[in-house]
Amino acid sequence: MDLSFGPEYETFRAELRAFLEAHRERAPRGGIVAAGGSKDAATLAWQKLLIEHGYAARTIPKQYGGYGAEPDILKRVILDEEFARAGVSAGVGGQGPDMLVPTLLEHGSEEQKQRWIGPTIRGEVVWCQGYSEPNAGSDLANVQTRASEDGADFVVNGQKIWTTTAHLADMMFGLIRTEPNEGKHGGLSYLLIPMTTPGIEVRPLGTMTGRAEFNEVFFTDVRVPQANVVGRRGEGWKIANTTLKHERNMLASAGGLEASFARLVELMKSETRDGRRAIDDPVLRDRLLRLEARVAAAKYHSMRMLTASLKKEFPGVAALVTKLSGCEISHQIAALAIDAMGELGVLYDGSKHLRAFGMWQFQYMFSLGLIIGGGTAQIQKNIIAERGLGMPREPKAA
Amino acid sequence: MDLSFGPEYETFRAELRAFLEAHRERAPRGGIVAAGGSKDAATLAWQKLLIEHGYAARTIPKQYGGYGAEPDILKRVILDEEFARAGVSAGVGGQGPDMLVPTLLEHGSEEQKQRWIGPTIRGEVVWCQGYSEPNAGSDLANVQTRASEDGADFVVNGQKIWTTTAHLADMMFGLIRTEPNEGKHGGLSYLLIPMTTPGIEVRPLGTMTGRAEFNEVFFTDVRVPQANVVGRRGEGWKIANTTLKHERNMLASAGGLEASFARLVELMKSETRDGRRAIDDPVLRDRLLRLEARVAAAKYHSMRMLTASLKKEFPGVAALVTKLSGCEISHQIAALAIDAMGELGVLYDGSKHLRAFGMWQFQYMFSLGLIIGGGTAQIQKNIIAERGLGMPREPKAA
Amino acid sequence: MDFALSDEQKLLEQSLRRYLAESVPATRVREIMATETAHDAKLWRDLAELGAAGVLVPEVHGGSGLALLDAALVQQSLGHAAAPAPFLATSVLGPIAFAAGTPAQQAEWLPRIAAAQTVLGAAFTELVHRRDAAGVRESNGRLDGTALFVIDAGAAAAFLVAVDRARIALVARDAAGLTATPLATIDATRRVAELRFESVAPAEWIGGAAGVPELAARVLAAGRVALAADVLGACERAIEMAVAYAKQRVQFGRPIATFQAVKHLCAEMIAELEPARSLVWYAAHAFDHRPEEAVAMSLHAKAHLAEIGTQIVRTATEVHGGIGFTSEHDLHLWFKRVGLDRQLLGGPEVVRAEGAALHGW
Amino acid sequence: MDFALSDEQKLLEQSLRRYLAESVPATRVREIMATETAHDAKLWRDLAELGAAGVLVPEVHGGSGLALLDAALVQQSLGHAAAPAPFLATSVLGPIAFAAGTPAQQAEWLPRIAAAQTVLGAAFTELVHRRDAAGVRESNGRLDGTALFVIDAGAAAAFLVAVDRARIALVARDAAGLTATPLATIDATRRVAELRFESVAPAEWIGGAAGVPELAARVLAAGRVALAADVLGACERAIEMAVAYAKQRVQFGRPIATFQAVKHLCAEMIAELEPARSLVWYAAHAFDHRPEEAVAMSLHAKAHLAEIGTQIVRTATEVHGGIGFTSEHDLHLWFKRVGLDRQLLGGPEVVRAEGAALHGW
């Protein structure tokens, strides 16, 4: 356990602060949330600057356009802290840099790496993820979107759902059934699909939050070169599972909880009821303290998991539980914020008196969507019990 | 919805109060908890007096030794309230009067009714229940204790567990496998077994509470007349399920929660921390109010269910959920009491400073035992979902 | 004596549910909630014909002259349908308040309520607490200040307004100096507003300018029981939807209703709901028949239903998986309805603190 | 930098676990807890040989000179074994307190702690709060009053005693005027007592009669982290037992581990425990390396582990069904150990209130 910030790190932090101070005017607006689809000139220029200084694409090898540094959690922590403190965009994020790039580094051909990693981390190519389907929600291996061979191409037909940023994306990485005779898991391939291909239609999918964070994507005779398969044909299920593990570095998610908790504290200091601040209500305050402990646990747990992953150690069941708790804590933070505001907490949609643009209700609903998404909590628990605790699978139905 | 206490009921209450005032010295000690195994002269005399006045065995037909009154919930409520208020024993209870007698009334032969109901309600014959076995816990139909025929008798071999009052009981009503070829459910009979029969051994079973509330009962070549089967052979499973429905009238259990909650309030008014009463701590008080609502819901729910059962209406899923919540509330009441006492709350075993003879820790642990007992909470939930909500059973394992 | 709904009550509930199922399905709810006031005059008149709008109005004034339990059953049915109807303010809080009114007030308003010829809004939040700088004060017969979170304000022709946190005034929507501003909430099936008073002359005081002791406590108690009943109905519906969906949705080759985890989620929902239903019945009954318990029981019902309701609509959404999170699917209507119910007239912590104070704890 | 146990720490943990598994199985725990003091001199000496008793004692005094994280790992292993050993008072609170002592005190006590040649009890409850009429006061150099819930009092040769809720005195068990009365708790693996002082001359003050600023906060923080670690170990064990039992117990013709409901109970337990482990590590680390966070993190660790610990031992009991409720089965040893840990040095509500005050909230 060594969390000391030695001189090297203090220097790193000081340089970063100076950099942010000097250049913050060049950063795109919109705070620290990494943009997932914005290709305006300011964003691309800012990302370029960040990569040059090693503040983005930090550990991506130089030959693919990254900064080529060794992984270093403490520097990762410092980066998160300082961008958050400065309230400055941390550059381009999203499913391309966070999910596709690690997958290509592990499974892609040299040609695929050369072609896609650079443009992706620079933000020039935006990706969306095509996993879920109407009948492949928690049962992801039930993917029905299929590709038949036609010369050097695949011809894809079917439908994806819950596809974030599909309306902005240049490319999709998705699971497609290419081997109809190979059973549920063995029949899938991990395919890279240009979103401009004729036959692709993107429709926004409204959710209970009232915003369209997701899309449906329809494929009708969409031609994709067979060369766009990552890894081998029929290995898509295995590769997608690796990608899921890469899903958004865990520190960032814990950092999000910390930031959200800090906003909750501010809220509870400013909202009043009969002139008394919410934070002075002992019952609400007790809930606040419970959450603070949970946020701290999530934060240090993510540091522990990241350490293990950098050391290539297998942390066992401990690695499987992060997802289950993160969204739940976010939901509970929002729930407390709403209760602290009382009737003000149910205002929405640009109402007069609305706090923080309705962020809290949005978070309350959206975090529930996340609890459901990416494999429902029920499936997560199966995985924890079976893979993590070695409990036997349910017997197959007769 | 008619909960009015009309003149008839006020008279009933006044008479009862006068009776309790006049005769309370004749009641056995030990408060209002109905004795389940005490056959001392004072108890039997008290029970006789209660039956004569219609304050016990109230709705049991006269020809079987009861008072023969029509069921009347409000009088039942008044009885519970007034015995509780007076702190006087409500007479003989336990598994004989509460479970066996309703079963005999419904399924017993005329001879069985004549023979057993009178002595049971008078407290002269004490019963224990023989359902659970080491390998038939949540899976009750897995009963292995078996009876082979030998002339007019059965010869019983096997083992029961979790048998309360077995060490005091004259008789057991139990599930015994009499039809080895009839499958899990169809092979059981509901058998009345004299506990004095040679070959029966009762061993106390210690629990985490530190007391022996339960027993194990071992059967070695125990001879029981075949005439002691209630209903028909092989119908034991069906009959036992009726008995489970009779299990201790539900008002009493809600009444127990109310009494326990009242004690909790008293406790929180007397326990202090740095001179401040527990009830003045807003966080503990909030938990108290949450529980008060739950206790009230349980109380009125039990009145609703009792009304339905007296009208012979089927209340559907609503009837299946009582058990799940009752023990849980009891557990939570005790948990709050312990937290309100802090370190004093973990004292036990006659320690100096111990509150209420350690009742709260006992309740905390024992209610957990009850949550587990009588079909674990997990099984209860299956029943609620399948019988109550019509959800399909799990497919059989291949 | 018995603890059950009467045959008449069952009939009322059945006829309402049948009407709402046929005439106000979710598609219709969505149409009504998309209008400016979320008010459907025909639906409102139909409710009058079914005896719902005037359920609490004395027969002499053209109503059914029933009790709060009956009103709670109506509210529950409305919650079950997520029906946009100004029942809470107009048909529950209105008649309860006017019961303390003058004969003239009663004669003027109660028949119109029973016939669904008017809509009332209720500005009672201040009876619970003040948020921000809200507050309506009276001085020299004039009202000044702001009332927040006015219930059923969409199509209201007049407002019942808590003044100085104790008295209740009746103010016409078009009174000089009164401005109503809609406040958008998560639940579009009902309309909440802010009222701004600038030297408004109150049309009337309910029970005289000096106020009626206990009137504030009475309207709050009735309103809270009604909100609890609304949650009850909404949760019934959410559970019905979850169970039905689980039976038809196939994953891993079988209906998800066969998975123990899904079953147990459903079992936990119903196990919470059924005792809560008994509590709501009793709280409503106590309002008319056990006055000494009425306030305490209204607090328990409100707080308890808010807590379990929030949990149930969340669980129902989880059982649905992704589809329950879409705006296309109807489930979120109930999710949001419960969200608003939870906070109106006091969130659960607030209500429990009142309960403790009532006990003298 | 890394957030992980060092190889040395893993080794320490492994050697302790191996020793405890072999030498202090539940059968042995039951034997020791049945004795009057629940103290096993051999076990205590063995812990010294394994470097556990002196884990916090500086090397110059014969200890390992390690940090609170190492001590927490020892405590966690003891919790995992439900081992009866006076580690908390003697080896955690003792060295932390003596660090503020005089060189003479250190030279006298620390080597004996490291060698397991003595046992200390800790009367620190008053630093948190007073229950009943407890309280130890100093007047003219004499101590009077009562200290409740003295930790590890069974075989203690001397007691560290909070006086006037701020200073810490060291009093020999056989001091004139001191009476120790055992208090029986649900957890028989550790012994708690009441101390009665009647004009007792304190043997020593730690850090002088004027007291050491922050010393009280420091011992409390260390003690709370250790108690959190004890819960962590106990819960690990409870989960191991539940998972193992579920794999072998057959009902309805298959191991209950194949039932989704049982699986999910186990998944929920471990999902709570693993992040909590990271929190305990950090809280222990902060004690030595992030002084500005040390107190806050000790409060979080104590309260959070108490809450999830109570839930986990309950769930583990439910997974076991009836057998887990018997005294014959060992599970209740951990159930009760967590029950005592929850309340010692402040229950969760108490600790969270301190946390809020620390924030200035």
Side-chain angles (χ1 to χ4, degrees):
Chain A
M1 197 86 160
D2 178 5
L3 308 179
S4 59
F5 287 74
E8 176 196 352
Y9 294 102
E10 292 311 331
T11 307
F12 181 80
R13 187 191 293 276
E15 286 169 1
L16 174 55
R17 275 196 200 178
F19 170 86
L20 289 171
E21 203 46 54
H23 301 288
R24 60 178 305 146
E25 293 310 317
R26 296 165 68 178
R29 298 294 168 84
I32 63 156
V33 178
S38 174
K39 289 196 282 187
D40 63 284
T43 300
L44 297 188
W46 179 243
Q47 179 73 358
K48 185 160 175 287
L49 191 67
L50 292 182
I51 296 176
E52 282 168 16
H53 284 79
Y55 298 147
R58 188 175 163 73
T59 60
I60 306 298
K62 272 216 160 85
Q63 73 259 40
Y64 305 129
Y67 183 75
E70 284 300 302
D72 183 322
I73 313 173
L74 195 48
K75 287 189 178 161
R76 184 71 254 162
V77 171
I78 292 171
L79 282 165
D80 287 345
E81 283 179 359
E82 294 301 323
F83 276 95
R85 177 201 302 253
V88 165
S89 163
V92 171
Q95 290 167 328
D98 295 334
M99 296 182 69
L100 176 74
V101 168
T103 303
L104 285 182
L105 284 171
E106 196 168 338
H107 301 282
S109 67
E110 188 54 35
E111 195 203 329
Q112 287 168 336
K113 293 182 196 176
Q114 290 291 349
R115 177 159 177 202
W116 295 116
I117 293 179
T120 302
I121 61 178
R122 286 194 296 276
E124 296 157 10
V125 171
V126 173
W127 292 80
C128 64
Q129 170 192 304
Y131 288 0
S132 293
E133 298 186 3
N135 289 308
S138 45
D139 184 10
L140 200 54
N142 197 35
V143 157
Q144 309 285 328
T145 299
R146 68 204 178 282
S148 51
E149 292 181 59
D150 186 14
D153 288 348
F154 282 127
V155 179
V156 179
N157 281 282
Q159 179 194 353
K160 294 289 175 183
I161 194 172
W162 304 114
T163 322
T164 46
T165 65
H167 53 303
L168 305 168
D170 304 294
M171 294 288 298
M172 170 187 281
F173 56 93
L175 282 179
I176 308 291
R177 190 161 297 280
T178 57
E179 327 296 313
N181 305 320
E182 293 295 324
K184 266 175 90 167
H185 296 81
L188 304 174
S189 291
Y190 191 101
L191 194 61
L192 309 181
I193 305 173
M195 292 296 284
T196 49
T197 319
I200 293 182
E201 189 195 349
V202 175
R203 291 187 208 152
L205 178 69
T207 73
M208 63 155 70
T209 67
R211 307 187 196 167
E213 305 96 358
F214 301 97
N215 300 278
E216 293 175 284
V217 181
F218 296 86
F219 299 87
T220 314
D221 295 335
V222 174
R223 298 193 78 87
V224 185
Q226 293 199 26
N228 281 18
V229 170
V230 176
R232 267 183 288 192
R233 281 175 59 162
E235 282 191 345
W237 175 252
K238 231 167 64 189
I239 294 174
N241 273 302
T242 337
T243 317
L244 284 171
K245 275 191 237 146
H246 289 126
E247 211 167 343
R248 190 63 189 160
N249 81 67
M250 293 158 282
L251 275 183
S253 121
L257 291 181
E258 265 195 298
S260 180
F261 182 82
R263 285 192 294 271
L264 172 60
V265 171
E266 288 315 306
L267 176 89
M268 287 181 61
K269 285 180 175 172
S270 62
E271 291 300 330
T272 61
R273 190 169 91 78
D274 288 335
R276 185 167 80 153
R277 302 184 309 164
I279 207 166
D280 294 329
D281 178 320
V283 179
L284 297 177
R285 195 169 57 204
D286 188 70
R287 280 173 67 183
L288 187 68
L289 268 288
R290 281 175 188 259
L291 282 173
E292 190 174 39
R294 288 198 172 270
V295 170
K299 174 179 177 179
Y300 299 115
H301 191 60
S302 69
M303 289 176 69
R304 179 175 146 216
M305 290 305 102
L306 197 55
T307 298
S309 115
L310 291 178
K311 289 182 174 177
K312 310 247 183 253
E313 285 173 2
F314 176 59
V317 68
L320 301 171
V321 303
T322 318
K323 193 154 195 168
L324 199 59
S325 54
C327 310
E328 182 63 42
I329 298 171
S330 177
H331 186 71
Q332 288 181 14
I333 287 174
L336 176 52
I338 291 164
D339 281 347
M341 289 184 281
E343 297 92 337
L344 289 163
V346 287
L347 299 181
Y348 205 53
D349 277 343
S351 174
K352 191 174 176 188
H353 303 296
L354 183 61
R355 286 4 186 202
F357 309 102
M359 174 191 80
W360 293 111
Q361 276 289 348
F362 180 81
Q363 179 173 327
Y364 182 71
M365 293 188 261
F366 192 68
S367 60
L368 181 57
L370 289 180
I371 289 169
I372 292 166
T376 65
Q378 309 310 315
I379 302 298
Q380 293 286 324
K381 288 181 193 172
N382 279 353
I383 293 173
I384 292 168
E386 290 166 14
R387 289 194 218 156
L389 299 174
M391 298 177 84
R393 295 177 63 89
E394 275 191 277
K396 284 230 187 278
Chain B
M1 197 87 161
D2 178 5
L3 307 180
S4 60
F5 287 73
E8 175 196 351
Y9 294 102
E10 291 311 331
T11 306
F12 181 79
R13 188 191 292 276
E15 286 170 1
L16 174 56
R17 275 197 201 178
F19 169 85
L20 290 172
E21 203 45 55
H23 300 288
R24 60 180 306 145
E25 291 313 317
R26 296 166 66 179
R29 299 292 168 85
I32 63 157
V33 177
S38 173
K39 288 196 282 187
D40 62 284
T43 300
L44 297 189
W46 180 243
Q47 178 73 358
K48 184 160 176 286
L49 192 68
L50 293 181
I51 296 176
E52 281 167 17
H53 284 79
Y55 299 146
R58 185 173 168 74
T59 59
I60 305 299
K62 271 216 162 83
Q63 73 259 42
Y64 304 128
Y67 184 74
E70 284 300 302
D72 183 322
I73 311 174
L74 196 48
K75 288 191 177 157
R76 184 71 253 160
V77 170
I78 292 171
L79 282 166
D80 287 346
E81 284 179 358
E82 294 301 324
F83 276 95
R85 177 202 302 254
V88 166
S89 163
V92 171
Q95 290 167 326
D98 296 334
M99 297 184 67
L100 175 74
V101 168
T103 303
L104 284 183
L105 284 171
E106 196 168 337
H107 301 282
S109 66
E110 188 55 36
E111 194 204 330
Q112 287 168 337
K113 293 182 197 175
Q114 290 292 352
R115 175 157 178 205
W116 296 116
I117 294 179
T120 302
I121 60 178
R122 287 196 294 274
E124 297 157 8
V125 171
V126 172
W127 292 79
C128 63
Q129 171 192 303
Y131 287 1
S132 294
E133 298 184 4
N135 289 308
S138 46
D139 185 7
L140 200 53
N142 198 36
V143 157
Q144 309 284 328
T145 299
R146 67 203 178 281
S148 52
E149 291 181 59
D150 187 12
D153 289 347
F154 282 127
V155 178
V156 179
N157 281 282
Q159 180 195 352
K160 295 289 175 184
I161 194 172
W162 304 114
T163 321
T164 47
T165 64
H167 53 304
L168 304 169
D170 304 293
M171 295 289 297
M172 169 186 281
F173 56 94
L175 282 179
I176 307 292
R177 188 162 298 281
T178 56
E179 326 298 309
N181 304 319
E182 293 295 323
K184 265 174 90 165
H185 297 80
L188 303 175
S189 292
Y190 190 102
L191 195 61
L192 310 181
I193 306 172
M195 292 296 284
T196 48
T197 319
I200 294 183
E201 188 196 350
V202 176
R203 291 187 208 152
L205 178 69
T207 74
M208 63 155 71
T209 68
R211 307 187 198 168
E213 305 97 357
F214 300 98
N215 300 278
E216 293 176 283
V217 181
F218 295 86
F219 299 86
T220 313
D221 295 333
V222 174
R223 297 192 80 86
V224 185
Q226 291 198 30
N228 282 19
V229 170
V230 176
R232 266 182 288 193
R233 280 175 61 160
E235 281 191 345
W237 175 253
K238 234 166 63 189
I239 294 174
N241 272 301
T242 338
T243 317
L244 283 171
K245 275 190 234 144
H246 289 126
E247 212 168 341
R248 189 61 190 161
N249 81 67
M250 292 159 284
L251 276 184
S253 121
L257 291 180
E258 265 195 299
S260 180
F261 182 81
R263 285 192 293 271
L264 172 60
V265 171
E266 288 316 305
L267 176 89
M268 287 180 62
K269 284 180 174 171
S270 62
E271 291 299 329
T272 61
R273 191 168 89 77
D274 288 336
R276 185 167 81 152
R277 300 184 311 163
I279 206 164
D280 295 328
D281 178 319
V283 178
L284 296 177
R285 196 168 55 203
D286 189 70
R287 280 173 67 183
L288 186 67
L289 268 288
R290 281 175 188 259
L291 282 173
E292 190 175 37
R294 288 198 172 272
V295 170
K299 174 179 176 179
Y300 300 116
H301 192 60
S302 69
M303 290 178 68
R304 180 176 145 216
M305 290 305 102
L306 197 55
T307 298
S309 113
L310 291 178
K311 290 182 175 179
K312 310 246 181 254
E313 287 174 1
F314 176 59
V317 68
L320 301 172
V321 304
T322 319
K323 192 154 197 169
L324 199 59
S325 54
C327 309
E328 181 63 41
I329 298 171
S330 177
H331 186 70
Q332 288 180 16
I333 287 175
L336 176 53
I338 291 165
D339 280 349
M341 290 185 280
E343 298 91 338
L344 288 164
V346 287
L347 299 181
Y348 205 52
D349 277 341
S351 174
K352 191 173 175 189
H353 304 296
L354 182 62
R355 289 357 190 206
F357 309 102
M359 175 191 78
W360 294 110
Q361 276 289 349
F362 180 80
Q363 179 173 328
Y364 181 71
M365 292 190 259
F366 192 70
S367 60
L368 182 57
L370 290 180
I371 290 169
I372 293 167
T376 65
Q378 308 310 315
I379 302 297
Q380 294 286 325
K381 288 180 192 172
N382 279 353
I383 292 173
I384 292 167
E386 290 167 12
R387 289 195 219 156
L389 299 173
M391 298 177 84
R393 295 177 64 87
E394 274 190 278
K396 284 230 186 282
Chain C
M1 113 102 196
D2 67 340
F3 193 100
L5 299 184
S6 67
D7 290 342
E8 294 75 15
Q9 286 165 334
K10 288 179 191 162
L11 212 63
L12 171 68
E13 194 174 53
Q14 278 164 20
S15 64
L16 268 170
R17 298 249 173 154
R18 199 177 311 118
Y19 164 75
L20 290 165
E22 283 169 14
S23 304
V24 197
T27 46
R28 181 67 195 136
V29 170
R30 286 175 185 264
E31 287 168 9
I32 302 172
M33 71 190 226
T35 63
E36 196 187 329
T37 57
H39 183 69
D40 178 8
K42 178 168 181 317
L43 161 58
W44 191 223
R45 278 196 311 276
D46 289 348
L47 287 178
E49 271 175 34
L50 288 159
V55 65
L56 290 180
V57 171
E59 287 174 279
V60 57
H61 292 298
S64 314
L66 296 173
L68 189 63
L69 178 53
D70 306 275
L73 293 172
V74 176
Q75 186 73 59
Q76 185 186 339
S77 298
L78 297 173
H80 183 268
F87 180 78
L88 175 56
T90 311
S91 300
V92 178
L93 302 174
I96 300 285
F98 281 118
T102 63
Q105 287 170 339
Q106 293 176 353
E108 180 183 354
W109 287 96
L110 291 172
R112 289 160 64 194
I113 291 173
Q117 286 165 354
T118 192
V119 169
L120 294 176
F124 288 162
T125 300
E126 269 196 76
L127 296 175
V128 182
H129 52 209
R130 282 181 174 164
R131 300 269 178 189
D132 287 1
V136 181
R137 285 159 296 277
E138 181 263 347
S139 170
N140 301 319
R142 295 277 169 173
L143 304 183
D144 280 281
T146 306
L148 288 173
F149 321 118
V150 180
I151 295 170
D152 289 338
F159 298 98
L160 292 161
V161 181
V163 177
D164 298 317
R165 310 192 69 167
R167 297 177 291 160
I168 294 175
L170 178 69
V171 185
R173 187 184 198 104
D174 56 8
L178 178 64
T179 328
T181 310
L183 302 177
T185 77
I186 48 168
D187 175 22
T189 67
R190 290 167 295 174
R191 286 292 188 273
V192 172
E194 167 186 303
L195 295 183
R196 174 110 201 103
F197 296 81
E198 289 180 74
S199 193
V200 175
E204 310 254 0
W205 290 102
I206 305 294
V212 180
E214 303 300 320
L215 180 56
R218 245 181 109 67
V219 293
L220 271 187
R224 283 164 168 169
V225 170
L227 285 164
D230 199 73
V231 173
L232 183 61
C235 287
E236 273 182 334
R237 182 65 166 268
I239 296 173
E240 288 163 16
M241 292 173 81
V243 170
Y245 181 78
K247 287 177 183 172
Q248 58 96 345
R249 169 74 169 173
V250 173
Q251 289 273 275
F252 304 100
R254 53 195 246 214
I256 63 170
T258 60
F259 288 101
Q260 215 182 17
V262 173
K263 270 189 220 182
H264 286 200
L265 289 178
C266 293
E268 285 157 14
M269 287 193 281
I270 200 75
E272 287 287 24
L273 192 75
E274 286 301 335
R277 183 197 307 275
S278 310
L279 177 65
V280 171
W281 285 3
Y282 186 76
H285 176 80
F287 183 84
D288 292 296
H289 300 285
R290 300 265 172 105
E292 72 284 4
E293 294 183 59
V295 173
M297 282 299 152
S298 74
L299 295 168
H300 282 324
K302 176 71 167 72
H304 186 60
L305 270 290
E307 298 287 14
I308 70 160
T310 304
Q311 191 57 42
I312 286 173
V313 292
R314 177 208 155 134
T315 304
T317 309
E318 284 194 63
V319 169
H320 277 80
I323 189 79
F325 183 63
T326 62
S327 58
E328 199 174 303
H329 196 277
D330 296 322
L331 183 64
H332 69 97
L333 297 177
W334 288 272
F335 184 94
K336 291 169 178 171
R337 186 140 175 145
V338 169
L340 178 60
D341 286 337
R342 178 181 173 96
Q343 302 300 343
L344 286 179
L345 301 183
E349 274 96 1
V350 171
V351 168
R352 284 193 295 268
E354 274 189 47
L358 190 70
H359 277 303
W361 293 346
Chain D
M1 112 102 196
D2 68 341
F3 192 100
L5 299 184
S6 66
D7 290 342
E8 292 75 15
Q9 285 165 336
K10 288 179 192 161
L11 213 62
L12 171 68
E13 195 173 55
Q14 278 163 20
S15 63
L16 267 170
R17 298 249 173 153
R18 197 176 314 116
Y19 164 76
L20 290 166
E22 283 168 14
S23 304
V24 197
T27 45
R28 181 68 195 135
V29 170
R30 286 176 185 263
E31 287 169 8
I32 301 172
M33 71 191 225
T35 63
E36 196 188 329
T37 56
H39 184 69
D40 178 8
K42 176 166 182 318
L43 162 58
W44 190 224
R45 278 196 310 275
D46 289 348
L47 288 177
E49 270 176 34
L50 287 158
V55 64
L56 290 179
V57 171
E59 287 173 279
V60 57
H61 292 299
S64 313
L66 296 172
L68 189 63
L69 177 53
D70 306 275
L73 293 173
V74 175
Q75 185 74 60
Q76 185 185 340
S77 298
L78 296 174
H80 184 269
F87 180 79
L88 175 56
T90 312
S91 300
V92 178
L93 302 174
I96 300 284
F98 281 118
T102 60
Q105 287 169 340
Q106 293 176 353
E108 180 183 354
W109 287 95
L110 291 173
R112 289 161 63 194
I113 291 172
Q117 285 165 355
T118 192
V119 170
L120 293 176
F124 287 162
T125 300
E126 268 196 75
L127 295 176
V128 183
H129 51 210
R130 282 182 175 165
R131 300 268 178 190
D132 288 359
V136 181
R137 285 160 296 278
E138 182 264 349
S139 171
N140 301 319
R142 297 275 169 174
L143 304 184
D144 280 281
T146 305
L148 287 172
F149 321 118
V150 179
I151 296 170
D152 289 338
F159 299 98
L160 292 161
V161 181
V163 177
D164 298 317
R165 309 192 70 168
R167 297 177 289 161
I168 294 175
L170 178 69
V171 185
R173 188 184 197 104
D174 56 8
L178 178 64
T179 327
T181 310
L183 301 177
T185 77
I186 48 169
D187 175 22
T189 66
R190 290 166 295 174
R191 287 293 187 272
V192 172
E194 167 187 302
L195 295 183
R196 174 112 200 101
F197 295 81
E198 291 181 74
S199 194
V200 174
E204 311 253 0
W205 291 100
I206 304 295
V212 180
E214 304 299 321
L215 179 57
R218 247 181 106 67
V219 292
L220 270 187
R224 283 163 167 169
V225 170
L227 285 165
D230 198 73
V231 172
L232 183 61
C235 287
E236 274 182 335
R237 182 65 168 267
I239 296 172
E240 288 163 16
M241 291 174 81
V243 170
Y245 181 78
K247 287 177 183 171
Q248 59 96 344
R249 167 77 169 172
V250 173
Q251 290 274 275
F252 304 100
R254 52 195 248 214
I256 64 170
T258 61
F259 287 101
Q260 215 182 15
V262 172
K263 271 189 217 181
H264 287 199
L265 290 178
C266 293
E268 286 158 13
M269 287 193 280
I270 200 76
E272 286 287 24
L273 191 75
E274 285 301 335
R277 184 196 307 276
S278 309
L279 178 64
V280 171
W281 286 3
Y282 186 75
H285 176 79
F287 183 84
D288 292 295
H289 300 286
R290 299 267 173 105
E292 73 285 3
E293 294 183 59
V295 173
M297 283 298 152
S298 74
L299 295 168
H300 282 324
K302 176 70 168 72
H304 185 60
L305 271 288
E307 298 287 14
I308 69 160
T310 303
Q311 191 58 42
I312 286 172
V313 290
R314 177 207 154 134
T315 305
T317 307
E318 284 195 63
V319 169
H320 276 81
I323 189 78
F325 183 62
T326 61
S327 58
E328 198 174 306
H329 195 276
D330 296 322
L331 183 64
H332 70 96
L333 297 177
W334 287 273
F335 184 95
K336 292 169 178 172
R337 185 140 176 146
V338 169
L340 178 60
D341 286 338
R342 179 180 173 98
Q343 303 300 345
L344 286 179
L345 301 182
E349 275 95 1
V350 171
V351 167
R352 284 193 294 269
E354 273 189 48
L358 190 70
H359 278 303
W361 293 347

